[in-house]
Amino acid sequence: MAKRKRLTPLGPMGAPAPTSAPASAEPQADSARSVAPIADMAGAASARAALDEVTETLSRARAEGRMVLHLPHDAIQIDYLVRDRIAVDDEEMTALVESLRARGQQAPIEVADLGDGRYGLISGWRRCRALRQLHEETGDDRFASVLALVRRPDQASDAYLAMVEENEIRVGLSYYERARIVAKAVAQGVFETEKQALQRLFHTASRPKRSKIGSFLAIVHALDGALRFPETVSERLGLSLSRALEDDPGLAPQLRGQLAEAAPKEPQAEQEILAAALEPPAPARTAAEPAPAPDEPRPGVRVSSGKDGRLVLQGPGVDEALKARLLAWLAEG
């Protein structure tokens, strides 16, 4: 049986009619090209969103003081705040330097952003000093910068509070140092009154402790700058001295003169001068009273020579106040 042949309709002039052409590869390529830019744009937008999120996270971490920065020494203003610590113990400083030399800086300092690449030191004064000393000594790049957390205190009072709280926790402050930072904060206009500064800076302290700090303010006002070892003034001596200064306005200039003349080289000698000033004056001798005997230079005090070059003082007038006066007199040469 003959195979049937499919007839193709004739076109014009008898040519076969054109059939539907298959879709060419060129339109398919155009379609692919139209899809690719959309995907690229979506990917770029996603990358930008991720970068923006990372940038925002880092900015927030820095603003909240959770990002540790490497700051060069020259960018840190050491005297941004009046420091509450007066004396620096040489042994403690040496130990800190050697620790930083061996292990590097472990705990960051705290700074306030002052703008234009400058930062004010809030806490970490000793670490800054030690790291700068090591860099000057060794030239090692490890010590060329300081690890720091940027704090953003809303007011200068917050910066002072941060400094005080850190030192209270780390090393403790003497009563004189506590009172001095109260006075300095008021002098710089951070607080309006000493009462306000005392309550704000030492808000965690008990009322009796704040009262004692307030008592030391009289010593700060009268003798700041004249005392060489004010941080060693004991609580008992300080409270007695504070009362005496308030009762006798002439005591402050008298003490400043004595301290300047004696120029004590040790804390004990300075405290003996202060203790001697608190001793009540000896009662005046009336004309009817006999003159003291050579071995009794003052009532209640007898002097005798002991063995091996010793001098013995006896009697009811021999007490701690007399001892302090004698030692101060001997120290003056």
Side-chain angles (χ1 to χ4, degrees):
M1 181 176 180
K3 186 176 181 181
R4 298 180 63 182
K5 183 177 180 181
R6 183 177 180 181
L7 299 178
T8 302
L10 296 177
M13 301 301 293
T19 58
S20 300
S24 66
E26 185 174 351
Q28 292 177 359
D30 290 342
S31 176
R33 281 196 298 269
S34 66
V35 173
I38 296 175
D40 291 343
M41 292 174 62
S46 177
R48 281 196 301 270
L51 179 60
D52 291 343
E53 183 178 356
V54 171
T55 302
E56 182 183 355
T57 300
L58 293 177
S59 298
R60 188 166 56 250
R62 177 170 178 166
E64 294 174 356
R66 294 183 286 109
M67 178 185 292
V68 178
L69 305 180
H70 287 262
L71 301 180
H73 293 287
D74 293 342
I76 302 173
Q77 183 177 330
I78 296 289
D79 59 352
Y80 172 60
L81 301 179
V82 177
R83 311 315 304 175
D84 49 1
R85 291 294 290 177
I86 297 175
V88 178
D89 186 275
D90 291 338
E91 292 184 3
E92 291 181 1
M93 196 66 179
T94 299
L96 177 59
V97 168
E98 294 308 316
S99 173
L100 291 170
R101 189 196 307 274
R103 303 174 60 240
Q105 184 183 355
Q106 301 296 309
I109 65 171
E110 294 182 327
V111 296
D113 192 344
L114 304 181
D116 298 327
R118 300 288 299 166
Y119 298 86
L121 181 66
I122 295 177
S123 64
W125 183 82
R126 294 193 310 153
R127 275 165 282 169
C128 279
R129 286 282 303 274
L131 287 167
R132 180 170 298 194
Q133 176 181 328
L134 283 168
H135 186 243
E136 292 174 352
E137 174 189 329
T138 66
D140 194 329
D141 290 342
R142 289 191 305 147
F143 310 123
S145 61
V146 183
L147 299 179
L149 290 171
V150 179
R151 303 301 191 194
R152 295 183 60 183
D154 296 332
Q155 299 176 340
S157 59
D158 294 330
Y160 273 92
L161 179 59
M163 175 183 65
V164 169
E165 286 181 342
E166 189 204 29
N167 279 335
E168 283 285 315
I169 294 171
R170 289 179 178 273
V171 291
L173 299 170
S174 66
Y175 277 105
Y176 185 93
E177 288 170 317
R178 294 182 179 109
R180 182 175 181 271
I181 197 61
V182 168
K184 294 297 182 182
V186 173
Q188 290 198 342
V190 178
F191 299 99
E192 294 184 0
T193 65
E194 290 179 345
K195 180 179 180 181
Q196 183 188 56
L198 185 59
Q199 291 178 340
R200 179 68 188 278
L201 294 177
F202 298 97
H203 64 97
T204 59
S206 64
R207 180 175 296 181
K209 185 174 182 179
R210 284 199 300 271
S211 176
K212 292 174 183 177
I213 297 172
S215 296
F216 270 73
L217 282 168
I219 306 175
V220 173
H221 293 315
L223 301 177
D224 193 40
L227 292 171
R228 297 191 175 193
F229 311 97
E231 72 282 356
T232 65
V233 175
S234 66
E235 175 186 337
R236 181 177 180 181
L237 175 60
L239 294 176
S240 298
L241 180 59
S242 175
R243 288 193 295 269
L245 287 168
E246 292 177 350
D247 294 339
D248 182 4
L251 181 58
Q254 173 189 330
L255 274 174
R256 295 183 75 92
Q258 291 177 352
L259 291 167
E261 182 180 355
K265 301 296 189 297
E266 297 180 353
Q268 181 179 356
E270 184 170 81
Q271 292 184 37
E272 288 167 354
I273 294 174
L274 300 178
L278 301 180
E279 182 184 1
R285 183 170 55 88
T286 63
E289 293 177 350
D295 60 348
E296 190 176 350
R298 58 180 293 177
V301 179
R302 296 187 301 277
V303 183
S304 61
S305 298
K307 297 180 179 180
D308 303 326
R310 287 180 294 172
L311 196 63
V312 180
L313 301 180
Q314 294 176 316
V318 179
D319 53 18
E320 289 297 323
L322 177 62
K323 175 184 175 182
R325 292 183 62 188
L326 285 173
L327 290 174
W329 176 75
L330 291 171
E332 294 175 1

